[in-house]
Amino acid sequence: MLIGYARVSTPDQKPDHQIDALVRAGVALGNIHVDIASGAKASRPELDLVMKLLRDGDTVKVTRLDRLGRSLLHLVTLGAVLAERGVGLHVVEQGIDTTTAEGRAMFGMLSVLAEYQRELIVANTRDGLAAARARGRVGGRRRRLTVEQAAAAQQLYDAGTHTVAAIAALFDVPRSTVYGHLDPDRIGDRHAGAGRVCHPEGDRLADEGHESFT
């Protein structure tokens, strides 16, 4: 089955162009789901519904990658989940189709870029912390994250590569501070590694040495 997904950022924007493109790509009008949400907003009820409807052998179609994912890391994570479930992804206007060898190779390049982006985030954050310590700012743990750090923490969490405990250690803050900056709709509902879901309780156990997802 072909399932289409479209997104506009505000109610003033119209999804007509996306819907028309998806229909031309073979998606039945009744199988097209539309969200009204900004690119950074985690809550997307129609996308959540699409993920529940998809079955092995289905293909989800979007017009462009930025209509589907909140970030490059989120796109790659979502693509991995779809692949694991045997679901294809066809990005109509950018010529990406993971049901073909060429499309899978192109999406694999995105995975490499996402990993590079993640490593840059980690490296830049560590450099910043080291510079702060070198200037004597070592008294006590910071209770808040900057806007940039909060965004980086959300990306690392969404990607499923770091537990909350690992993110907290990276930014030198308590786990409660990281939880306070994460989108509450995403906590306990992410895929890590081979489709494994991480929960706050799992992060607590990881801290105690029982299990590690990193």
Side-chain angles (χ1 to χ4, degrees):
M1 180 170 66
L2 302 180
I3 298 181
Y5 176 73
R7 179 182 64 80
V8 291
S9 299
T10 68
D12 295 334
Q13 297 178 333
K14 303 300 181 183
D16 296 351
H17 167 75
Q18 296 178 60
I19 293 173
D20 291 344
L22 293 172
V23 169
R24 288 195 299 269
V27 183
L29 190 59
N31 287 338
I32 296 177
H33 300 261
V34 181
D35 268 325
I36 300 175
S38 67
K41 189 174 180 180
S43 177
R44 297 187 185 183
E46 290 301 312
L47 180 57
D48 292 341
L49 177 59
V50 167
M51 296 302 292
K52 292 178 181 178
L53 292 174
L54 290 169
R55 298 292 182 266
D56 186 7
D58 290 346
T59 297
V60 59
K61 296 198 177 215
V62 296
T63 55
R64 299 181 63 84
L65 283 171
D66 63 351
R67 299 299 88 193
L68 181 63
R70 296 186 305 276
S71 65
L72 181 58
L73 291 172
H74 179 234
L75 278 171
V76 171
T77 302
L78 187 58
V81 172
L82 293 175
E84 181 185 335
R85 294 174 55 181
V87 174
L89 172 62
H90 182 198
V91 187
V92 177
E93 295 180 1
Q94 293 172 313
I96 300 175
D97 186 352
T98 63
T99 63
T100 68
E102 293 82 0
R104 287 191 293 273
M106 187 174 296
F107 208 84
M109 293 175 62
L110 291 179
S111 301
V112 173
L113 291 174
E115 178 63 19
Y116 176 64
Q117 181 186 55
R118 186 191 68 81
E119 290 177 355
L120 282 179
I121 291 172
V122 173
N124 290 338
T125 301
R126 285 175 175 166
D127 289 346
L129 292 174
R133 292 190 183 99
R135 288 169 173 77
R137 295 198 294 270
V138 296
R141 289 191 166 192
R142 292 173 298 172
R143 312 306 294 186
R144 301 286 297 173
L145 300 179
T146 66
V147 173
E148 292 78 10
Q149 289 172 335
Q154 186 71 58
Q155 283 190 322
L156 293 174
Y157 184 83
D158 287 343
T161 57
H162 286 61
T163 63
V164 170
I167 297 171
L170 179 63
F171 291 107
D172 194 26
V173 295
R175 285 185 299 115
S176 58
T177 298
V178 176
Y179 277 121
H181 286 82
L182 293 177
D183 190 309
D185 292 332
R186 296 290 297 169
I187 294 176
D189 186 27
R190 66 174 182 174
H191 290 267
R196 183 167 45 181
V197 177
C198 292
H199 296 277
E201 180 67 10
D203 286 319
R204 183 187 67 78
L205 293 176
D207 273 354
E208 296 174 359
H210 293 285
E211 185 174 3
S212 176
F213 293 98
T214 57

